[in-house]
Amino acid sequence: MALDTTERQKRNMDVFSEPEKKLHVLTKFLAGKDLKFKDLPERGKVILKKISPDGNKVLVTADAHSNLEINEKVTLFKILARYIQLDCKVIQSKGDNNFVLAIERIGIANRDREAPRVPVPPGHVWITNILTSKASIDANMFIIPTSVKVNFSDYEIKLKNSCDFIKISTFKSDDPEKLRIVKKTQKIFLIEETQDPTSYTTTPSPDFLNYEEEIDTDFKSEIRKFKDGKIKSELIVPVIYVDLDEHAIPIGYVHMQSKTENFDLGKAMEIKTLTFEMVDRIRNSNTVTITERFPVLDVSAGGLKIKINHPDLNQTLPRLSGFNFDIFFKMQSPMTVYGTIRSITKDEDGSLIMGIHLSGHSSRPGEKKRFLENLELLKRQIGSPT
């Protein structure tokens, strides 16, 4: 029995519960047909044997391992030219795996399926080499792995003699205003000459903070503070981590002050390039490839349904919008793809049943064509798609 289902992209359907409409669909399209359990392929199928005159009930024969229970609510589906879904309740057992179901609602997709699904026999198609993160990074909640802080410390030590003051740190909830704004805007803060008012009112490009426009504190008081501290120039560059989901996360900053030199655009770009190096190092240390095999339950030209049961992946994948992995068709070489997560169901044994849209193939020429050729070969091996 499904415990939890999340649809990332809702299927556009016409849903109705009027008896006459239900009767029409049941008798015209589904009488005598087999229907599967939505998101629960392990329960097999049911065959629609008989329809009540009012269209509110049906008699079905279920696979022996379906384990239907009285009062249980189930969702069945059939893919014809369009997707048809039945929301049902088990109301009576007739013995020999025959059950009476009350049809509460019927939904029909607004448009035809772009590509039919092909059910995959066990061992014929699987995915592996799933790229994911070891630890979560959430700058808004100030959840930063220790490895990031160690990385920052290493670079701070490396650069300690490059100017009069340098600090490389993660953002914190009690940071001063200009650090909070650097985090919020992801822009570079540069004051080339602290005693020159024009340094506070102009910027070399839109990627830099304009002190006068974007920071509430009067820059004249800031000029006095810098004069008292004998600070000639100041530079703050955000460290922006781009995760596997391609989200830009401001995780920290490089803060530099000088009493002798003026930081300029060139210096800002030098430090910005350094932050890219820092992020690459962080990403490499925080990325892991899971090499176990996970079965593909069905496949189409546009996507897959997969089953994942792994202690780390079950935690990390639901937080992503997509991920990279390799697809293997039996007796064929792998294809590297990026898949967007469309739906997630957690089944009774804790496995994730995931609907994946293939958003991109590797840059190797002909990969998409080779995928479609493998799909056609699979169709011929097992017969027509559902």
Side-chain angles (χ1 to χ4, degrees):
M1 184 185 300
L3 301 179
D4 185 37
T5 300
T6 301
E7 294 280 354
R8 298 281 181 88
Q9 182 172 356
K10 296 294 185 183
R11 190 187 301 271
N12 292 321
M13 292 197 299
D14 294 321
V15 180
F16 48 86
S17 56
E18 297 86 347
E20 63 277 10
K21 291 184 179 180
K22 290 191 291 185
L23 181 63
H24 173 74
V25 173
L26 291 170
T27 55
K28 184 172 182 178
F29 301 110
L30 299 178
K33 298 288 197 307
D34 60 280
L35 295 91
K36 295 183 178 180
F37 291 87
K38 184 182 179 184
D39 298 317
L40 292 169
E42 69 275 8
R43 298 189 76 171
K45 64 181 184 302
V46 303
I47 298 175
L48 200 157
K49 295 288 190 179
K50 189 175 180 180
I51 303 163
S52 67
D54 60 7
N56 287 323
K57 293 182 289 185
V58 294
L59 175 69
V60 301
T61 300
D63 286 349
H65 60 276
S66 295
N67 297 320
L68 292 177
E69 299 177 0
I70 302 301
N71 294 323
E72 178 185 1
K73 292 196 174 186
V74 295
T75 299
L76 304 171
F77 76 94
K78 182 72 177 176
I79 299 174
L80 299 169
R82 297 187 182 184
Y83 174 92
I84 302 177
Q85 176 176 303
L86 276 60
D87 294 329
C88 314
K89 182 178 180 180
V90 183
I91 60 174
Q92 187 179 2
S93 172
K94 291 286 192 176
D96 295 326
N97 296 314
N98 293 306
F99 296 88
V100 177
L101 309 181
I103 307 298
E104 298 179 343
R105 287 175 301 276
I106 295 179
I108 301 179
N110 289 332
R111 57 187 175 86
D112 294 353
R113 279 189 60 85
E114 294 177 359
R117 295 177 181 177
V118 179
V120 177
H124 276 64
V125 188
W126 63 91
I127 70 166
T128 187
N129 296 330
I130 297 174
L131 202 63
T132 186
S133 299
K134 294 179 183 177
S136 297
I137 295 178
D138 188 336
N140 292 325
M141 299 299 293
F142 303 99
I143 300 173
I144 307 294
T146 301
S147 60
V148 172
K149 299 173 184 177
V150 171
N151 177 287
F152 285 0
S153 178
D154 289 346
Y155 275 87
E156 185 176 306
I157 293 171
K158 180 180 177 180
L159 297 174
K160 67 178 181 179
N161 296 322
S162 63
C163 59
D164 296 294
F165 168 83
I166 184 165
K167 181 179 182 181
I168 303 178
S169 179
T170 58
F171 290 109
K172 298 179 176 60
S173 58
D174 58 351
D175 282 333
E177 181 189 18
K178 57 188 173 185
L179 283 177
R180 295 198 305 270
I181 294 175
V182 166
K183 177 185 177 182
K184 179 181 178 180
T185 63
Q186 301 182 26
K187 292 182 179 181
I188 296 172
F189 177 92
L190 172 64
I191 303 297
E192 292 192 36
E193 171 53 70
T194 62
Q195 300 308 300
D196 180 3
T198 61
S199 289
Y200 298 82
T201 59
T202 61
T203 64
S205 84
D207 294 327
F208 287 71
L209 276 174
N210 184 304
Y211 192 105
E212 184 179 45
E213 294 179 358
E214 300 180 81
I215 297 180
D216 290 337
T217 307
D218 180 14
F219 71 80
K220 293 178 182 178
S221 65
E222 194 76 351
I223 289 176
R224 289 192 294 269
K225 289 180 183 178
F226 282 132
K227 184 176 182 181
D228 293 341
K230 300 180 180 180
I231 304 301
K232 188 175 182 65
S233 194
E234 181 171 56
L235 174 65
I236 304 173
V237 179
V239 180
I240 301 173
Y241 180 86
V242 179
D243 63 14
L244 295 174
D245 219 13
E246 299 186 355
H247 293 147
I249 306 171
I251 57 176
Y253 58 89
V254 179
H255 184 190
M256 303 173 67
Q257 292 178 335
S258 175
K259 297 180 179 182
T260 57
E261 68 171 310
N262 291 106
F263 299 140
D264 57 11
L265 175 62
K267 187 66 173 181
M269 292 300 97
E270 176 190 330
I271 300 303
K272 186 65 177 177
T273 300
L274 182 74
T275 67
F276 295 154
E277 179 184 309
M278 295 167 63
V279 167
D280 283 343
R281 182 175 163 186
I282 292 168
R283 186 182 296 108
N284 289 337
S285 66
N286 195 45
T287 300
V288 62
T289 300
I290 305 298
T291 59
E292 296 178 31
R293 293 183 177 188
F294 301 98
V296 173
L297 305 178
D298 64 46
V299 59
S300 73
L304 314 166
K305 181 178 285 185
I306 61 175
K307 183 172 183 177
I308 300 286
N309 197 337
H310 185 279
D312 296 328
L313 294 178
N314 285 21
Q315 295 296 319
T316 58
L317 291 184
R319 294 197 294 265
L320 303 178
S321 64
F323 56 97
N324 289 284
F325 57 92
D326 287 346
I327 301 176
F328 277 81
F329 284 80
K330 189 176 181 180
M331 306 295 291
Q332 302 294 324
S333 56
M335 289 158 282
T336 301
V337 300
Y338 180 83
T340 302
I341 300 172
R342 289 288 178 83
S343 66
I344 304 174
T345 295
K346 190 174 183 181
D347 70 11
E348 58 187 357
D349 68 359
S351 297
L352 300 181
I353 308 298
M354 307 181 73
I356 305 293
H357 171 68
L358 297 181
S359 304
H361 293 254
S362 77
S363 59
R364 292 191 294 272
E367 284 287 78
K368 175 69 173 180
K369 180 174 181 289
R370 192 160 67 88
F371 173 79
L372 295 175
E373 288 172 348
N374 277 285
L375 178 57
E376 288 303 315
L377 178 61
L378 178 67
K379 289 180 182 179
R380 291 196 296 269
Q381 289 174 344
I382 67 172
S384 300
T386 58

